[in-house]
Amino acid sequence: MKIIAIAVAAASLATAGTAVAQYGPRPGQPAPWNAGSFWRGAPENPYQRIQFLQDRVNQGMANGSLDRREAHRVNGELNGVRQWIQRMHWRDAGNLSPDQRAQVQGRLDNISRQIRWMRHDGW
């Protein structure tokens, strides 16, 4: 019975090692999106972060990594976040709670991932 348990444990470790070794970017492909490194040095203000993303869209349009349709889609999402923040400000006397800031940041993270995905044609 011990031999079977040891064999099962060894097999699962070997499988886990293979799965971990296969994680990561494919050769010649960009590294996975990382929120910590992406936002490092970015402004804290939600509106300035939206502008930060807007600048990325403009750069993508200028260098051809985003087409007009993709830029239009992202611009619509960024405008939606701007309007959402304005509604929260109006409703909450001009201040965002920590939870609201986290929700805004989550939406901006998702938009940033989408921009990255589009710029790299799905990679």
Side-chain angles (χ1 to χ4, degrees):
M1 195 66 173
K2 283 185 182 181
I3 294 174
I4 293 173
I6 291 171
V8 168
S12 63
L13 283 175
T15 304
T18 302
V20 171
Q22 291 177 354
Y23 176 75
R26 296 179 190 150
Q29 298 303 321
W33 186 86
N34 181 328
S37 66
F38 176 78
W39 293 110
R40 192 170 302 130
E44 289 295 319
N45 180 292
Y47 288 111
Q48 291 173 338
R49 286 194 172 209
I50 291 170
Q51 186 59 50
F52 183 80
L53 291 176
Q54 185 68 62
D55 292 343
R56 283 190 64 210
V57 171
N58 294 341
Q59 289 169 359
M61 286 284 295
N63 68 22
S65 61
L66 289 177
D67 64 31
R68 193 175 321 162
R69 180 186 52 82
E70 292 167 331
H72 181 73
R73 176 179 163 198
V74 173
N75 286 332
E77 292 192 38
L78 291 174
N79 287 334
V81 174
R82 283 183 187 103
Q83 293 169 358
W84 189 50
I85 292 170
Q86 287 174 347
R87 284 192 304 272
M88 284 190 285
H89 275 291
W90 179 78
R91 189 173 51 227
D92 297 327
N95 297 314
L96 293 179
S97 71
D99 281 347
Q100 290 170 326
R101 281 187 171 273
Q103 290 173 351
V104 169
Q105 186 58 49
R107 284 185 69 178
L108 295 178
D109 284 346
N110 287 335
I111 293 170
S112 179
R113 279 188 209 97
Q114 291 173 16
I115 293 169
R116 182 186 179 284
W117 185 84
M118 286 186 253
R119 289 183 76 174
H120 296 286
D121 292 326
W123 291 103

